[in-house]
Amino acid sequence: MADLNIPLKNGKRKSLAPRIDLTPLVDLGFLLITFFMYTTTMTKPRSIDLRLPTTEIPPNPTAFIAESTITLILANNHRIFYYYGILENPDQLLISDCNKIRAILMDKKKQVATLPAKYSAEAHKLHVLIKPNNNCIYDDIVKVFDEMIITDVPYYTMI
């Protein structure tokens, strides 16, 4: 912005304090804001890759060792029903809270480690089968998968 210097009556100009024009600075600020808005990338949503089983039954289904297997059934209200090995009797079905899953997995891991030597090396590793119910919530599934990683379970799958 231009300033006019008007001389006084006696021919001398009055010296004023220097004045800084901030108009270009405001323009530069808006240009920078516009630049960063156009060049930034928003965070991309992250999700877990789930490899769901196929509907086809394979000719040779994978066998699992009943002594080293635990099956987790996720239900509503953050409950987990679980059983060890193969469910032969409904009394074997146990109920727990989602927050206690780590203790359950660690106990089973200790039991599996103490199996007799007649079992194979794979039998001495914990196998977990995860069965989410229709009314369980997604957060419980994520928590269970997180617990698999935290407790270092080598074999787990969602059925």
Side-chain angles (χ1 to χ4, degrees), residues 37-88:
M37 283 175 52
Y38 284 130
T39 59
T40 189
T41 57
M42 297 299 174
T43 56
K44 295 176 177 67
R46 294 181 287 163
S47 62
I48 294 177
D49 281 339
L50 293 178
R51 295 186 187 123
L52 298 175
T54 63
T55 56
E56 301 172 4
I57 298 175
N60 297 324
T62 305
F64 62 91
I65 301 137
E67 288 81 7
S68 63
T69 303
I70 182 172
T71 303
L72 305 174
I73 303 170
L74 306 175
N76 60 349
N77 297 329
H78 306 290
R79 291 182 303 166
I80 292 182
F81 296 92
Y82 64 98
Y83 59 90
Y84 303 113
I86 299 170
L87 185 66
E88 296 170 355

Side-chain angles (χ1 to χ4, degrees), residues 59-150:
N60 297 324
T62 305
F64 62 91
I65 301 137
E67 288 81 7
S68 63
T69 303
I70 182 172
T71 303
L72 305 174
I73 303 170
L74 306 175
N76 60 349
N77 297 329
H78 306 290
R79 291 182 303 166
I80 292 182
F81 296 92
Y82 64 98
Y83 59 90
Y84 303 113
I86 299 170
L87 185 66
E88 296 170 355
N89 186 356
D91 295 336
Q92 294 175 330
L93 195 62
L94 303 167
I95 302 171
S96 180
D97 194 311
C98 234
N99 297 330
K100 299 176 185 173
I101 189 67
R102 188 177 302 175
I104 295 167
L105 291 173
M106 294 306 286
D107 288 342
K108 183 62 181 175
K109 210 171 181 185
K110 288 177 187 173
Q111 291 174 4
V112 168
T114 60
L115 285 175
K118 68 178 183 176
Y119 290 102
S120 68
E122 293 301 313
H124 286 88
K125 297 178 184 174
L126 181 61
H127 297 73
V128 180
L129 304 173
I130 303 165
K131 296 181 179 182
N133 201 342
N134 290 340
N135 54 5
C136 78
I137 60 173
Y138 181 75
D139 187 43
D140 290 343
I141 297 172
V142 172
K143 283 181 185 177
V144 168
F145 277 112
D146 287 343
E147 290 299 330
M148 297 300 132
I149 295 169
I150 291 169

